[in-house]
Amino acid sequence: MNKVLLIINCIILTIGTCGAPLIMRLYFIKGGKRIWLSCWLQTVAWPINFIPLAISYLYRRKNNNSSKLILMTPRIFMATIGIGILQGLSNYFYSYGVAKLPVSTNGLVISTQLAFIAFFAFIIVKLKLTSYSINSVFLLTIGAVVLALHSGGDRLEGETNKEYILGLIMTLASAALTGLIFPLVELIYKKAQQAITYTFVLEFQTLYCFVATVFSTIGMVINNDFQVILSIL
């Protein structure tokens, strides 16, 4: 069952990772302008986690005589809120980059997150770096830099140099934040002082996605995105 769940998660992750940038880019190519809306859609599906969480709660209550609704401690709860804010900010940077860059350019620049993950993991959780990991991160990073320097011909018509460069910077900022978030999550797991169960991970993901969605919702309210959507409907 563990292998089946792993395969299912890998398939869903692959579809999302490959399909989401294409759909987002298509939205902007067709005239979409709402970056905060694109950011909001990245985490708005967080309530779906309530289904497995409810099943897990009923199972615990039936078999372990445990009626505890939430497994997270207050300390982990507050740390997760911080992760959610960082995720919301990363999502905005990423959405801005997709709005200004072709998918190929954006995809390769965002791949530099591997370098940031390795760097922050080395500093935060003392991850040992091997020659293979350093070599792969170096090649991916160099590839992204070369593409960024020689991709002037793949800009959209009418896009200014300022917008294009800002898109590169925003995408790189998103990669850096993502590279910071993963080691921070690993650190939280290490400091949790409790069993890292499937239910605990689901609670963690649900909370930080909820916080990221609230972050994006505030941006949409400030940018009047909801009024524009309602007027279209």
Side-chain angles (χ1 to χ4, degrees):
M1 180 57 69
N2 289 335
K3 291 182 179 180
V4 172
L5 289 174
L6 179 62
I7 293 173
I8 292 175
N9 277 282
C10 288
I11 292 174
I12 294 175
L13 182 61
T14 301
I15 294 173
T17 302
C18 297
L22 296 174
I23 295 175
M24 290 173 62
R25 184 59 179 170
L26 182 63
Y27 164 74
F28 291 112
I29 289 177
K30 296 298 183 180
K33 302 293 184 181
R34 300 293 162 176
I35 295 176
W36 279 110
L37 173 62
S38 179
C39 173
W40 183 74
L41 290 174
Q42 293 182 53
T43 54
V44 73
W46 63 267
I48 198 172
N49 283 341
F50 282 138
I51 297 175
L53 283 174
I55 295 174
S56 175
Y57 171 74
L58 294 175
Y59 179 83
R60 294 199 314 272
R61 188 170 184 179
K62 179 180 178 181
N63 295 277
N64 302 327
N65 296 321
S66 174
S67 58
K68 191 174 182 180
L69 183 61
I70 300 176
L71 300 181
M72 298 175 63
T73 63
R75 184 180 178 184
I76 299 299
F77 186 89
M78 296 304 298
T80 307
I81 291 177
I83 294 294
I85 295 174
L86 291 178
Q87 185 64 58
L89 191 59
S90 176
N91 289 345
Y92 176 79
F93 290 156
Y94 179 73
S95 297
Y96 192 98
V98 173
K100 303 301 180 182
L101 300 177
V103 175
S104 58
T105 306
N106 179 271
L108 198 49
V109 174
I110 202 69
S111 69
T112 58
Q113 65 182 272
L114 294 175
F116 289 110
I117 290 174
F119 173 73
F120 287 119
F122 176 75
I123 295 177
I124 297 174
V125 295
K126 310 302 180 183
L127 179 69
K128 293 182 179 180
L129 299 177
T130 66
S131 58
Y132 297 104
S133 60
I134 293 175
N135 184 53
S136 60
V137 167
F138 175 77
L139 291 176
L140 282 171
T141 305
I142 291 299
V145 172
V146 171
L147 180 63
L149 293 176
H150 298 278
S151 55
D154 61 359
R155 304 185 197 183
L156 293 179
E157 185 177 353
E159 186 177 62
T160 64
N161 290 338
K162 181 179 179 180
E163 290 176 328
Y164 190 83
I165 294 174
L166 188 57
L168 286 173
I169 294 174
M170 287 292 200
T171 305
L172 195 60
S174 176
L177 272 178
T178 302
L180 175 62
I181 288 171
F182 279 108
L184 286 178
V185 171
E186 183 68 20
L187 182 63
I188 290 174
Y189 286 169
K190 285 187 175 182
K191 301 292 184 179
Q193 297 180 345
Q194 65 182 95
I196 308 301
T197 62
Y198 187 72
T199 302
F200 173 82
V201 173
L202 275 178
E203 289 181 358
F204 181 87
Q205 292 180 345
T206 302
L207 178 58
Y208 90 74
C209 286
F210 167 73
V211 174
T213 303
V214 172
F215 179 89
S216 303
T217 302
I218 294 174
M220 290 182 67
V221 172
I222 296 175
N223 201 44
N224 296 323
D225 285 2
F226 286 111
Q227 288 86 334
V228 174
I229 294 173
L230 290 175
S231 64
I232 295 176
L233 296 177

